[in-house]
């Protein structure tokens, strides 16, 4: 079996193929960093991160070019900048750096390209000029608009038709367009707004044209996969298709379209007005990022998902079970010359794990196989079986982006008897050198060990030593081994 994915465009599960052999070109709509990101944003980017890891895994062997744009100019960043007496790019820098830090904590890899819309204005203007030339766009009093009626396939991706869309549609008073369905490609600047020159008047690009122009510039059309959250299907992706394909002799712009399901927070749509909006950065401070990652992967990526604190606690338990199981499989000396069993049951589990991923990235099913492996091997004493089971867990969790689990101290959950006040003392000792996860001593120690690993990777040995010494002062001794760092109580 080879990888298959649900293609929103055809509404069916199809084999993943690329136009260029062994090279997958992917464009995913990125963030509009004009406000705090939330956990729903993280879900979609996390899915595409796992997809990318799987495409690059030797089993698929693709080189992946992954482009994720930054919509760095929009009405909200302009409004916020005006309110705060600063510039739009400062607002964007603030929220985008917070978002990137959160992605790093979730172990979501960086895109190969992160084009900012304002860096692609010449390409955007060029594309609008081509659309006007072919009769797909027109300039009006307040900007340049796309003429939807000129594009007969409009609505094909989302399954909407223009007659239905027109019912109840009307033109807002401040918009000057010919038809209610027409959408802005270029908005003329009002006084004091940031603007870029264009043949039609100074202004800024509309959101949809940015993605059409940047995907064409960086990947070329057609490319292999276009992704985003479910809420982007209409109108954003529909409009991207109308723009890009109007200029192509041989559409489509993207062969496959993949969309991640939406997320509810404690049973409701997340919104500031409902009072259940928590910025992603805050949530990641309160919770273990790996548990969040595991929770997302335990739900089908296309399904709507309800994010609750209970579900997250369940994911933490599952994470601990995986780590304990892995450590258990590796414990004990392997028998030196034990012959490999004729039929190793792990081969079958390995096949099932990858079959699940091949089946439209069924990460929940794939994780289920790993728990089956733990159950199967709990009583199997054969060294070869245990070794292969540990190897499968190591490979599989790494592929799912959960490999950081193996850097955690072994059996951290079993160490009892620590003074709860240790967290406060460590916090006072370390200041803001490290953020301590929650109030449990074990979690705080784990956070410090992770921060120390990160410091050592970044060759900041002074910070690494400072973190180790702070733990030592509390009687917690670290031991570094090839496969990670463990800790014990001094004298224990
Ligand atoms: Zn987009």
């Amino acid at each position: 079996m080879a990888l298959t994915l649900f293609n929103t465009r055809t509404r069916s599960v199809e084999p993943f193929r690329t136009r260029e052999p062994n090279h997958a070109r992917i464009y995913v709509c990125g963030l509009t960093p004009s406000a705090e990101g939330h956990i729903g944003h993280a879900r979609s980017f996390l899915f595409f991160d796992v997809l990318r890891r799987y495409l690059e895994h030797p089993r698929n062997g693709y080189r992946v070019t992954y482009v994720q744009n930054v919509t760095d100019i929009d009405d909200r960043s302009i409004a916020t900048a005006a309110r705060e007496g600063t510039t739009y790019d400062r607002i964007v820098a603030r929220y985008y750096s917070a978002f990137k830090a959160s992605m790093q904590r979730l172990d979501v890899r960086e895109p190969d390209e992160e084009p900012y819309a304002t860096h692609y204005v010449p390409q955007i203007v060029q594309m609008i000029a081509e659309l006007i030339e072919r009769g797909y766009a027109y300039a009006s009093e307040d900007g340049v608009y796309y003429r939807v009626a000129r594009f007969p396939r409009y609505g094909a991706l989302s399954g909407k038709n223009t007659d239905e869309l027109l019912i109840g549609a009307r033109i807002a008073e401040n918009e000057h367009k010919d038809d209610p369905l027409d959408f802005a490609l270029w908005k003329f600047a009002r006084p004091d707004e940031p603007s870029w020159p264009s043949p039609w008047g100074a202004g800024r690009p509309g959101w949809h044209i940015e993605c059409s122009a940047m995907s064409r510039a960086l990947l070329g059309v057609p490319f292999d996969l276009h992704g985003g959250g479910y809420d982007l299907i209409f109108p954003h992706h529909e409009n991207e298709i109308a723009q890009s394909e109007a200029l192509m002799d041989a559409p489509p712009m993207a062969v496959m379209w993949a969309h991640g399901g939406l997320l509810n927070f404690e049973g409701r749509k997340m919104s500031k007005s409902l009072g259940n909006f928590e910025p992603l950065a805050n949530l990641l401070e309160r919770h273990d990022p790996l548990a969040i990652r595991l929770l997302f992967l335990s739900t089908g990526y296309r399904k709507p998902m309800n994010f609750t604190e209970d579900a997250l606690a369940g994911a933490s338990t599952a994470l601990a079970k995986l780590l304990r199981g892995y450590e258990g499989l590796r414990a004990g000396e392997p028998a030196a010359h034990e012959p490999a069993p004729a039929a190793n049951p792990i081969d079958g589990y390995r096949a099932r794990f990858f079959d699940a991923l091949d089946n439209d990235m069924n990460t929940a099913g794939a994780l289920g196989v790993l728990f089956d492996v733990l159950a199967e091997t709990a009583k199997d004493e054969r060294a070869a079986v245990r070794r292969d089971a540990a190897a499968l867990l190591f490979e599989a969790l790494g592929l799912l982006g959960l490999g950081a689990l193996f850097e955690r101290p072994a059996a951290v959950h079993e160490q009892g008897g620590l003074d709860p006040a240790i967290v406060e003392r460590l916090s006072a000792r370390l200041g803001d050198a490290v953020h301590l996860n929650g109030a449990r001593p074990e979690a705080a120690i784990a956070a410090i060990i992770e921060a120390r690993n990160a410091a050592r990777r970044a060759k900041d040995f002074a910070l690494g030593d400072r973190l180790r010494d702070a733990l030592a002062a509390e009687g917690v001794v670290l031991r570094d081994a090839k496969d990670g760092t463990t800790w014990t109580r001094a004298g224990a």
Side-chain angles (χ1 to χ4, degrees), residues 59 346-358 369 392:
R59 197 175 146 88
I346 303 306
D347 296 341
Y349 286 107
R350 196 183 148 79
R352 276 177 54 205
F353 174 82
F354 286 111
D355 280 350
L357 291 183
D358 285 342
V369 173
L392 173 58

Side-chain angles (χ1 to χ4, degrees), residues 97-264:
S97 63
F99 170 74
K100 290 199 59 140
S102 294
M103 289 298 107
Q104 214 167 21
R105 295 201 68 188
L106 286 166
D107 236 333
V108 171
R109 285 168 47 199
E110 297 220 1
D112 297 304
E113 302 269 2
E114 289 171 280
Y116 280 59
T118 59
H119 300 176
Y120 282 80
V121 171
Q123 290 88 339
I124 292 168
V125 166
Q126 167 66 27
M127 199 165 199
I128 298 173
E130 291 171 37
L131 287 167
I132 293 178
E133 197 185 299
R134 296 206 186 187
Y136 287 95
Y138 58 92
S140 82
E141 212 174 292
D142 62 337
V144 179
Y145 286 92
Y146 187 94
R147 196 182 295 287
V148 168
R150 177 83 169 78
F151 188 74
R153 289 197 307 281
Y154 193 81
L157 179 74
S158 55
K160 296 180 190 293
N161 74 55
T162 45
D163 291 340
E164 278 166 23
L165 288 169
L166 273 169
I167 297 170
R170 56 180 194 89
I171 299 174
E173 242 168 67
N174 56 357
E175 283 181 313
H176 298 273
K177 54 188 185 181
D178 293 352
D179 184 281
L181 298 187
D182 294 352
F183 57 88
L185 300 172
W186 188 260
K187 300 174 180 184
F188 294 151
R190 287 183 288 250
D192 300 326
E193 281 184 351
S195 68
W196 289 261
S198 88
W200 317 284
R204 63 178 184 273
W207 173 33
H208 315 299
I209 193 74
E210 296 169 6
C211 288
S212 283
M214 292 191 290
S215 60
R216 184 172 81 164
L218 289 165
L219 294 173
V221 281
F223 53 91
D224 303 307
L225 183 118
H226 195 316
Y230 191 82
D231 52 338
L232 296 184
I233 296 175
F234 186 87
H236 183 54
H237 288 164
E238 202 71 76
N239 292 355
E240 278 190 41
I241 289 173
Q243 294 161 156
S244 295
E245 296 188 0
L247 302 177
M248 290 174 71
D249 296 327
M253 76 179 289
V255 177
M256 262 201 171
W257 288 79
H259 291 97
L262 297 184
L263 180 134
N264 283 325

